[in-house]
Amino acid sequence: MHVWFTRAGNAYSKVNESLADRSRLSSRSQQQSTSDPESLGVGAAPASAVARDEGSLQGAAGVFQALDEAKVGRRHWLTVLTAGMGFFTDAYDLFIIGTVTVLLTPIFHLSTAQVSLLNSISLLASVLGALVFGRLMDRLGRKKMYGVEVALLVAGAVASAVSWNFWSLFAFRLLVGMGVGGDYATSAVITSEYATRRQRGRLVATVFAMQGFGLLAGPAIASILLGAGLSKAVAWRLMLGLGALPAASVVYLRRRVRETPRYELAIKGDVAGALESLNWAVGDQAVELAWSVPDGGGLSKPRLADRPYLMRLVGTAGSWFLLDVAFYGNSVSSPLIMKALEPHASLLSHTLISLAIFALAAPPGYWLAVFLMDRRGRRKIQWQGFAVMGAAYLAMALLPGGSRDVAPFLALFALSYFFTEFGPNETTFVYPSEIFPTAIRGIGDGLSAGAGKLGAFLGALVVPSLLQHVGLRGVMAVMAVASLLGAILTLAVLPEPMGKSLEEASAEDGIGSGPGVSSAPLGDFGYRAAVTGGAPSGAAGEVDLEVAEDSVDLEEVEAVLGAALEPLEAESSPS
């Protein structure tokens, strides 16, 4: 419905007057002249741009204010649980493959090179998975890809359990890796785009914290199967096949998640679809009454090659790469590391030691990071975690007895694990889902995750050989260097997105193709009229009314606004 800006102001004024008997206006609102279009936040912005104050965005941030300021509800936690099950499976598989290859070495007559490949090939495949799914999410939408990646993971896990030789297992591990990589790209972005501003870090970090349960489940199940006296030929198949269960449980739920409001509006320009998704996520906390869709809607299209985003990509991808060299190298090869530390102990003993370390260090680290993510900030948690990891690895490499005496080594190893989780293992997952605009968020996250999985592949591939050639101390020295470089990179290039809207954190342009959307803050009624403007002289603006509190009768609002605008509709209709 097209109206002149001044008439839009008059319509908004009539709504205020009709609802005044039900809501108390503040003295500032009563004195404000709503016949002036600036009272609606339209101002005199030029057609070529949306005015933007330093550190804040108008336009997109205003459109999504209802989502940003909503209380965390059932649909938020459903999204988190649905996303988190994939990471439970990822962490379970991360540990279990190291135990499986130890069991399979005499059965499949595996060489050291083949063990390294089986331990790492799914990580290499996850690089491709992250890139492919990240790109397709930006092109086709978040919803169309969500659930496909976890279905690949399930299929790969089941097939791995029935493999018959090295090459069949190798091929099925590729399939698992594709699913894992796709899960990294899709789950973080979808959770972030649905999350509220103040608790976005906590919600996205909770998804990743499900890894902690997977890290416990892996050695726990391995210990149970080994302790039960099952033959190696049966035990390894059960270990791999059980990994499919948690992921399979959420395939249907992922397919039911709606397209995110941000993708609907920013990429597709579908206001109606965005509002349906918004209401699906936050229910009656926010309802927007939209009478028309802005022509050519959607955000301007940024490029990943633009310097600000390229530098952010260097930070997110580089720090994730360095983290995973250390983290996956140690985690996948933990049975070999334990064997190098205690060469005469049994596989069950090594598995139980790994379980104890994970139980004492990993879950507390994960959940402390979740608790403090929106209090201390991503940047501080990340660089401090890298620094403590580097110090612990360096101590294991340099201190007398640091790599020979069991007790000091295990204490330092557990410390490094704690600050991996209460540090970059959480934040490298959160960061890329926040600091890239919607149009390139999928590929930005996919490239970052892909770089991380490449580091994981190299770490898992190289550690077994490093243990043979430079020993345990040499391995820890390499991990120390990677960790300290990660701390430096974090401080050098990564911004702090804590407390900012997703649009502000990603430096996203205002809504509209040239013109933008400006909007007034939520008024005392809990609603806002927004006018898309900046059009050339003689063109029309458009009116949206957003209601963010259920203290207002929405049907009455619609009826009053419709009555106020009806004469304008008749006047503007062609005779």
Side-chain angles (χ1 to χ4, degrees):
M1 178 179 299
H2 298 290
V3 293
W4 299 101
F5 293 153
T6 55
R7 292 176 176 177
N10 289 331
Y12 180 57
S13 178
K14 290 181 180 181
V15 174
N16 277 342
E17 293 169 1
S18 298
L19 294 177
D21 60 339
R22 298 190 57 191
S23 301
R24 180 174 298 175
L25 288 169
S26 66
S27 59
R28 183 175 61 85
S29 297
Q30 291 173 340
Q31 295 170 3
Q32 186 179 17
S33 174
T34 56
S35 62
D36 181 358
E38 288 194 9
S39 69
L40 299 180
V42 176
S48 60
V50 177
R52 185 183 305 151
D53 295 328
E54 181 180 356
S56 67
L57 279 173
Q58 300 176 21
V63 170
F64 296 120
Q65 184 174 0
L67 184 61
D68 286 334
E69 304 304 328
K71 296 179 181 178
V72 174
R74 182 175 63 88
R75 287 282 166 69
H76 289 105
W77 289 117
L78 177 63
T79 303
V80 167
L81 175 64
T82 301
M85 278 296 109
F87 289 90
F88 177 97
T89 301
D90 175 38
Y92 172 87
D93 183 80
L94 163 69
F95 175 86
I96 214 69
I97 189 60
T99 304
V100 166
T101 51
V102 171
L103 295 175
L104 277 180
T105 297
I107 298 174
F108 284 176
H109 307 291
L110 301 177
S111 65
T112 300
Q114 288 176 322
V115 169
S116 296
L117 280 174
L118 288 177
N119 283 347
S120 59
I121 192 58
S122 67
L123 299 172
L124 183 61
S126 68
V127 176
L128 181 61
L131 296 178
V132 169
F133 278 87
R135 179 59 175 161
L136 290 177
M137 272 203 307
D138 288 340
R139 294 292 297 274
L140 304 178
R142 298 5 177 176
K143 177 177 173 56
K144 286 187 177 179
M145 304 311 301
Y146 204 40
V148 175
E149 74 297 321
V150 79
L152 287 178
L153 201 163
V154 171
V158 172
S160 295
V162 297
S163 55
W164 52 92
N165 58 21
F166 166 78
W167 288 110
S168 62
L169 182 56
F170 180 86
F172 297 142
R173 297 292 298 167
L174 288 172
L175 193 59
V176 169
M178 283 289 292
V180 168
D183 196 28
Y184 271 81
T186 56
S187 291
V189 168
I190 285 176
T191 306
S192 181
E193 290 186 351
Y194 266 118
T196 64
R197 175 176 61 85
R198 290 186 178 88
Q199 301 196 54
R200 185 176 62 246
R202 180 167 72 103
L203 291 172
V204 179
T206 298
V207 171
F208 197 72
M210 295 295 287
Q211 271 199 346
F213 297 119
L215 282 173
L216 290 177
I221 289 175
S223 299
I224 291 171
L225 295 177
L226 293 172
L230 291 177
S231 69
K232 294 180 180 180
V234 174
W236 74 266
R237 294 185 188 276
L238 286 175
M239 290 178 190
L240 291 178
L242 288 173
L245 296 180
S249 69
V250 295
V251 173
Y252 173 76
L253 291 177
R254 289 194 178 195
R255 298 304 299 161
R256 298 288 295 173
V257 172
R258 292 188 62 89
E259 184 60 84
T260 70
R262 287 179 162 96
Y263 189 88
E264 290 277 19
L265 189 57
I267 308 304
K268 297 168 65 177
D270 184 354
V271 172
L275 298 179
E276 289 178 5
S277 296
L278 179 65
N279 290 329
W280 177 85
V282 301
D284 59 1
Q285 292 186 62
V287 177
E288 187 163 333
L289 307 176
W291 273 262
S292 60
V293 179
D295 294 334
L299 301 179
S300 62
K301 306 300 183 189
R303 298 182 306 160
L304 199 58
D306 293 342
R307 180 175 173 78
Y309 305 127
L310 187 60
M311 290 305 297
R312 292 180 177 199
L313 181 62
V314 169
T316 56
S319 58
W320 206 338
F321 174 87
L322 292 167
L323 163 72
D324 278 7
V325 166
F327 178 59
Y328 278 76
N330 284 336
S331 297
V332 172
S333 302
S334 59
L336 297 178
I337 291 174
M338 293 299 112
K339 185 175 182 179
L341 184 66
E342 288 189 298
H344 303 297
S346 67
L347 177 59
L348 177 59
S349 176
H350 292 156
T351 303
L352 289 172
I353 291 173
S354 297
L355 175 59
I357 292 174
F358 294 154
L360 293 174
Y366 276 115
W367 294 105
L368 185 60
V370 170
F371 179 73
L372 293 177
M373 191 66 66
D374 292 312
R375 291 173 170 84
R376 292 178 61 86
R378 292 67 155 147
R379 191 167 182 262
K380 182 177 290 186
I381 291 174
Q382 180 159 308
W383 79 258
Q384 290 179 349
F386 266 131
V388 177
M389 287 168 60
Y393 292 140
L394 201 60
M396 284 184 270
L398 299 180
L399 292 180
S403 61
R404 295 192 306 272
D405 299 335
V406 175
F409 179 89
L410 293 181
L412 289 169
F413 200 62
L415 180 67
S416 72
Y417 248 97
F418 177 82
F419 278 94
T420 298
E421 317 311 346
F422 177 45
N425 199 34
E426 278 278 11
T427 53
T428 52
F429 179 75
V430 175
Y431 250 126
S433 70
E434 297 182 299
I435 63 173
F436 297 105
T438 305
I440 56 173
R441 188 170 293 130
I443 189 60
D445 199 295
L447 284 168
S448 301
K453 296 305 105 181
L454 180 60
F457 167 75
L458 294 176
L461 181 67
V462 169
V463 164
S465 297
L466 284 178
L467 284 170
Q468 288 186 337
H469 292 90
V470 299
L472 194 53
R473 296 181 68 179
V475 169
M476 294 302 130
V478 171
M479 302 311 172
V481 171
S483 300
L484 295 175
L485 286 175
I488 294 170
L489 185 61
T490 300
L491 290 170
V493 300
L494 287 177
E496 177 53 69
M498 180 179 67
K500 298 177 181 178
S501 72
L502 200 56
E503 287 67 43
E504 184 181 359
S506 62
E508 190 147 22
D509 289 337
I511 290 181
S513 53
V517 171
S518 299
S519 57
L522 289 173
D524 292 319
F525 287 138
Y527 63 88
R528 166 179 65 234
V531 179
T532 60
S537 177
E542 296 160 353
V543 178
D544 292 334
L545 179 68
E546 176 183 336
V547 180
E549 296 178 3
D550 48 17
S551 60
V552 177
D553 188 324
L554 301 183
E555 293 182 358
E556 184 176 356
V557 172
E558 183 174 7
V560 171
L561 187 60
L565 296 178
E566 186 175 1
L568 300 176
E569 272 192 302
E571 181 180 335
S572 61
S573 299
S575 57

